[in-house]
Amino acid sequence: MNAQAMTQTKRQGAGETLQTTGDSQTLMEIKDLRIWYRTTRGNAKAVDGVDLTIQRNEVFGLAGESGCGKTTMARGILGLTRLPGYVESGEAIYYRRTSDSTSVGSDLLTMPAREIRRMRWRHLAYIPQGAMNVLSPVTRIEKQILDAIYEHSNMSKEQARARMFECLEMVGLEPAVARMYPHELSGGMKQRVTIAAAVSLKPGLIIADEPTTALDVNVQQVILQELREIAKSMELTLIYVTHDMAVHAEMADRMGIMYSGMLVEVSPIVETFKEPLHPYTQGLISSIPAVGGGRSRMVGIPGNAPSPLNWPPGCRFHPRCPRVMDVCREKQPPMLEVAPGRLVACHLYPTPISDTTPAFEELRK
Ligand code: SF4
């Protein structure tokens, strides 16, 4: 029985859904999520039908070209959608463990704003794009971290200070950094401060949205490694959002590929790179430059992503797909589990895959 089937609604009302689940490994269930933006030309359907389950303690990579809906989805499931965006429909159920180890779920999309604010930092943390600029330039680092700890926990002053220094050390910063102002720190140090703050209350889920894109490649590499190690050692769940497939290869345990507001493939990281199923995933991977040989020519993906104001009918990737068939222009492919832990939405895989699946044979030519 899957997690969804085992889920049992206990109470519903006042904009809140509480559920228990028999699958204690499930941290979040996203169901048929649609987040749209109102524009003068109609609704831009940035996220348009996403189903996804996130497991506890995993690093989940969310990939796709710019404009595919990654950031809208990442912010949306934390209740951070702002006008003109709005949640058209769907659920994002976050499961907390209670003292008797039961998993209790709440729909973050219908939770009152006051409740969701209380969950921030203790349960949910967000490291945004350009995280270095979220620090107040006129406030010392220690005050910025301590204020958040005081507001969202019952720690004493001494406990909070000890926790702050512990987190700064975890991200490789000296205690002296606590007394500094952001302008006294390098970009990499500021980024480490935002990570220290995000993990300070051991939240169940951290969403990091392209937090290192403004840094040079060497610093980025070290920080990514640190973030992954911290998430693993503290048993946190991390959703890492970036279009950079090479970063996902280093960071993620599992990844989801978004295209035109939907997920088109979800697979463990090794399988994703070894045997990508969806033609779009294949295109993304073929776009990664290979250093030191291997691939002599980057292939890439022809054409441009379609407009969220007017998704193409059938499979939304069909105008760019090198494997397009007649059915693709008419019918949207459902997301199917074609091998254990491997989900793909593509008409090439109508049944579970095997070594003799024609799409595989074609792939190997
Ligand atoms: Fe290509 Fe058809 Fe698969 Fe879409 S459903 S990715 S058009 S083969």
Side-chain angles (χ1 to χ4, degrees):
M1 201 187 297
N2 64 26
Q4 196 163 325
M6 294 170 84
T7 301
Q8 179 192 7
T9 300
K10 294 279 279 191
R11 178 165 71 83
Q12 193 162 3
E16 188 178 19
T17 305
L18 289 181
Q19 300 177 314
T20 57
T21 177
D23 178 358
S24 61
Q25 272 313 305
T26 300
L27 181 81
M28 182 171 258
E29 277 180 291
I30 299 165
K31 300 178 189 174
D32 196 27
L33 180 61
R34 291 168 204 273
I35 303 176
W36 297 357
Y37 293 91
R38 288 192 181 90
T39 77
T40 51
R41 291 185 294 146
N43 284 321
K45 300 176 179 176
V47 175
D48 197 33
V50 168
D51 291 279
L52 178 65
T53 299
I54 299 292
Q55 302 295 323
R56 290 185 195 280
N57 312 145
E58 74 171 333
V59 176
F60 186 88
L62 195 55
E65 291 166 293
S66 296
C68 70
K70 307 184 294 291
T71 294
T72 298
M73 178 170 137
R75 291 180 59 83
I77 59 181
L78 295 183
L80 294 171
T81 301
R82 298 287 177 265
L83 289 172
Y86 69 101
V87 177
E88 166 68 16
S89 62
E91 295 177 9
I93 299 170
Y94 174 82
Y95 291 96
R96 281 172 283 173
R97 281 215 179 108
T98 59
S99 50
D100 65 355
S101 294
T102 311
S103 260
V104 178
S106 312
D107 184 359
L108 300 179
L109 302 184
T110 54
M111 187 177 277
R114 184 171 40 84
E115 281 295 308
I116 207 158
R117 269 199 303 276
R118 279 182 45 199
M119 288 187 70
R120 297 234 166 89
W121 292 74
R122 261 192 319 146
H123 292 282
L124 311 165
Y126 182 62
I127 307 175
Q129 290 177 14
M132 295 175 293
N133 302 324
V134 301
L135 297 171
S136 164
V138 294
T139 309
R140 291 186 199 275
I141 298 302
E142 63 181 355
K143 181 163 168 48
Q144 304 200 40
I145 298 178
L146 288 173
D147 281 354
I149 296 178
Y150 292 144
E151 193 181 333
H152 295 276
S153 77
N154 298 322
M155 282 190 205
S156 66
K157 210 172 165 186
E158 291 70 32
Q159 287 172 324
R161 287 190 71 78
R163 182 75 192 133
M164 175 189 68
F165 287 123
E166 190 187 332
C167 292
L168 288 175
E169 188 185 351
M170 237 185 301
V171 296
L173 293 174
E174 297 288 328
V177 167
R179 296 289 299 157
M180 294 180 174
Y181 290 93
H183 71 266
E184 298 177 87
L185 308 179
S186 69
M189 290 168 84
K190 280 189 264 194
Q191 188 57 268
R192 288 187 163 98
V193 167
T194 65
I195 294 171
V199 302
S200 60
L201 293 180
K202 298 188 183 168
L205 174 65
I206 297 179
I207 298 188
D209 186 2
E210 310 229 25
T212 57
T213 39
L215 303 176
D216 72 57
V217 177
N218 291 340
V219 178
Q220 179 178 344
Q221 194 77 6
V222 175
I223 290 180
L224 290 176
Q225 207 53 44
E226 283 171 1
L227 184 56
R228 185 182 157 84
E229 280 165 19
I230 290 169
K232 289 294 172 187
S233 66
M234 292 176 77
E235 299 188 350
L236 311 177
T237 302
L238 175 65
I239 298 181
Y240 197 91
V241 181
T242 179
H243 62 275
D244 189 335
M245 294 293 281
V247 168
H248 287 301
E250 289 196 22
M251 288 285 287
D253 300 320
R254 215 162 54 101
M255 72 182 295
I257 312 288
M258 278 190 86
Y259 185 79
S260 297
M262 303 179 79
L263 280 165
V264 294
E265 180 165 355
V266 177
S267 287
I269 194 73
V270 174
E271 283 87 340
T272 303
F273 280 84
K274 202 169 141 206
E275 217 153 42
L277 299 177
H278 198 280
Y280 179 59
T281 316
Q282 293 162 11
L284 287 179
I285 290 174
S286 75
S287 312
I288 304 174
V291 178
R295 202 170 34 245
S296 56
R297 182 172 68 90
M298 287 188 285
V299 181
I301 304 167
N304 298 311
S307 164
L309 290 164
N310 189 19
W311 297 131
C315 170
R316 293 175 187 172
F317 188 57
H318 87 252
R320 305 172 73 188
C321 181
R323 314 285 300 278
V324 62
M325 305 172 283
D326 286 346
V327 64
C328 308
R329 297 186 179 90
E330 289 153 21
K331 212 174 142 207
Q332 195 170 84
M335 183 72 112
L336 297 176
E337 185 166 14
V338 295
R342 303 209 65 184
L343 297 128
V344 63
C346 173
H347 290 305
L348 290 169
Y349 310 95
T351 55
I353 54 173
S354 71
D355 277 355
T356 55
T357 298
F360 261 16
E361 293 185 343
E362 188 69 23
L363 187 65
R364 294 196 178 102
K365 278 179 190 168

